[in-house]
Amino acid sequence: MSVEAEILVARAGLSRLMEPNDLTGTALVAVSGPVEAYRLISTTTGKAPAAVQQAVAELLGGEAGTRGAHRLDAGLERWRPRVDASGAARDLETIRRFGGGLLVPEDPAWPAQVDDLGLGAPLCLWWRGTVPPQQLPAKDALMAVVGSRDATDYGRQVGSQIVSELCARGITIVSGGAYGIDARAHEAALHAASGHECLATAAVMAGGLDRFYPAGNDELLRRVEANGMLFAEVPPGTAPTRWRFLQRNRLLAALCGATLVVEARWRSGALTTARRASELGRDVGAVPGSVFSANSAGCHRLLREGSAIPITDAAEALELLGTMAQSVTSGDSARDTGVQAEETRPHDGLDIQDLLLMDALPIRQPATPDKLSTVSGLGIGAVLGGLSRLQARGLAESSADGWRRQRGEEAGPSWIRT
């Protein structure tokens, strides 16, 4: 099923008009749809209709800083100077010349896990590579591996070993294509996946995919393209900036089932990825290092704060992926010992927050998210994100009155029953 050309053009154009994670822009698209939002910006003048302004304001009501730059009229002032009548069609033609395309939420191949970002989800994903997006594995088979650009020999060695073993078990490594740990993760994945059927690796870039950045990794990124795929939420010709690097990190966190930090300084972009992953309910691991190494200070910081668990080998890294880890390790055990793997259950692999939320879900009378927040002890953001994940797994259902447990799960998870 192909996505209508009008939607592709609209989302391509919007990705050039709006910076990544522009909440006002994504609210406008949520209210009006991509085609009407693009028309409002590119072919009209003056303020938006009052009803649209009100709807956008209400949608942004739960977001911090909804005044000032987040007003719709302020957004129109930001976006309209960027309008180029032929820009969207030109960008789409450019990415096609490079053998890629544009992936949009209306496409069945869209990775639904990035929608966990809420209004911060990307408007679209530009892609390039020999492997089409339809072959991107499920979230629980994707591991983000990030770390210092000035990696030490220790970091490169440990990262390579863990990545190699993960790939041998069918896990796809996702990183940012940068120097240091990112580059070593891609290299190790490409080497280890040779001869295996799994997708080797994917890179999420901060700039347009018409040229590779950094230039020193050009050859490596071409190998990634030849054996996997590259993604970006900005169109061809877009320069990577500090803001776009920071926003790229949220995509790394959302795309993958877990994040592994191999090395990171006290202030590091890798920590941003780790924290966004934790906010999304994804598990985060950090490789411990020497207490004398500045390159491990960020990992130790995550461990001390309790936002990551220590990872020393691939087996421990697999545990971060929940269901995938259980199925892989159970399968290995069955092959090694002849014992049949235990049957998986629908709630296997849920993190503790989602388990608490599932336990709070009523069986018969639906409950509102506010009520579930009180019962589960979770913040409203964690509740809303968790409800989406539980619904996707068939564990929760919604109605006009609220949410309840999906029929067939009335007995609750076994960890509660026991």
Side-chain angles (χ1 to χ4, degrees):
M1 180 174 65
S2 62
V3 178
E4 292 183 11
E6 193 176 25
I7 294 176
L8 284 175
V9 169
R11 287 196 177 272
L14 290 168
S15 73
R16 182 166 290 282
L17 300 179
M18 300 172 181
E19 284 294 320
N21 203 23
D22 186 328
L23 299 183
T24 308
T26 53
L28 174 61
V29 173
V31 166
S32 302
V35 175
E36 178 59 24
Y38 189 47
R39 186 201 65 79
L40 177 65
I41 298 169
S42 60
T43 64
T44 64
T45 59
K47 293 186 176 181
V52 175
Q53 294 190 52
Q54 179 65 26
V56 169
E58 290 176 357
L59 193 55
L60 289 169
E63 301 291 343
T66 55
R67 297 181 181 274
H70 281 202
R71 295 196 312 268
L72 182 53
D73 55 352
L76 293 173
E77 291 178 5
R78 292 197 304 272
W79 308 322
R80 280 176 173 158
R82 292 184 170 184
V83 171
D84 178 350
S86 63
R90 185 171 58 245
D91 289 338
L92 288 168
E93 178 57 31
T94 297
I95 200 66
R96 290 191 190 102
R97 288 204 318 269
F98 285 103
L102 184 66
L103 191 59
V104 296
E106 293 81 3
D107 193 309
W110 179 258
Q113 62 266 32
V114 301
D115 293 333
D116 291 347
L117 290 166
L119 285 179
L123 293 164
C124 58
L125 288 172
W126 300 84
W127 66 272
R128 178 177 172 180
T130 56
V131 179
Q134 291 84 349
Q135 295 183 27
L136 185 71
K139 177 187 70 175
D140 289 341
L142 298 171
M143 174 78 76
V145 178
V146 295
S148 295
R149 285 172 170 78
D150 59 337
T152 66
D153 288 341
Y154 165 79
R156 287 190 290 267
Q157 181 178 352
V158 173
S160 293
Q161 181 175 332
I162 292 177
V163 164
S164 296
E165 295 180 18
L166 287 174
C167 287
R169 294 169 182 255
I171 304 301
T172 296
I173 303 301
V174 183
S175 198
Y179 294 129
I181 295 299
D182 284 21
R184 183 50 62 98
H186 290 305
E187 290 169 350
L190 289 167
H191 178 75
S194 178
H196 294 275
E197 294 183 357
C198 69
L199 170 67
T201 186
V204 182
M205 311 301 290
L209 298 182
D210 54 323
R211 66 185 182 93
F212 294 137
Y213 182 91
N217 279 352
D218 184 88
E219 181 181 351
L220 170 62
L221 292 172
R222 292 190 185 280
R223 290 170 56 207
V224 172
E225 178 188 21
N227 296 275
M229 63 185 74
L230 299 97
F231 291 107
E233 63 178 314
V234 293
T238 304
T241 63
R242 182 180 295 273
W243 172 259
R244 291 165 188 160
F245 273 113
L246 288 173
Q247 298 312 311
R248 182 275 308 275
N249 292 342
R250 86 190 195 287
L251 286 185
L252 275 170
L255 190 63
C256 300
T259 294
L260 175 64
V261 184
V262 177
E263 278 190 322
R265 289 179 173 267
W266 185 260
R267 296 182 183 277
S268 168
L271 300 188
T272 305
T273 306
R275 291 188 174 116
R276 292 308 300 268
S278 183
E279 290 169 1
L280 291 168
R282 316 284 203 261
D283 280 339
V284 177
V287 176
S290 168
V291 297
F292 299 109
S293 172
N295 276 41
S296 291
C299 292
H300 297 158
R301 180 180 184 179
L302 291 173
L303 295 171
R304 182 175 181 180
E305 292 172 349
S307 53
I309 62 174
I311 299 297
T312 61
D313 58 29
E316 292 175 351
L318 272 173
E319 294 176 2
L320 297 174
L321 289 172
T323 302
M324 170 59 72
Q326 292 176 17
S327 64
V328 170
T329 54
S330 295
D332 288 348
S333 176
R335 285 191 297 271
D336 293 341
T337 65
V339 178
Q340 185 174 356
E342 183 180 356
E343 182 180 356
T344 59
R345 297 160 297 182
H347 56 269
D348 282 344
L350 291 179
D351 60 41
I352 187 63
Q353 288 190 341
D354 288 356
L355 286 169
L356 290 170
L357 178 58
M358 183 174 172
D359 187 47
L361 281 170
I363 296 173
R364 296 178 179 84
Q365 188 65 33
T368 65
D370 287 338
K371 177 65 174 178
L372 292 172
S373 176
T374 301
V375 174
S376 65
L378 301 173
I380 188 65
V383 168
L384 294 174
L387 287 171
S388 296
R389 291 189 292 273
L390 292 178
Q391 184 180 42
R393 295 184 63 158
L395 300 176
E397 59 183 9
S398 64
S399 67
D401 298 322
W403 292 80
R404 66 180 181 180
R405 196 172 299 171
Q406 179 75 27
R407 296 187 183 279
E409 287 299 315
E410 288 81 2
S414 61
W415 73 281
I416 294 292
R417 298 199 301 273
T418 57

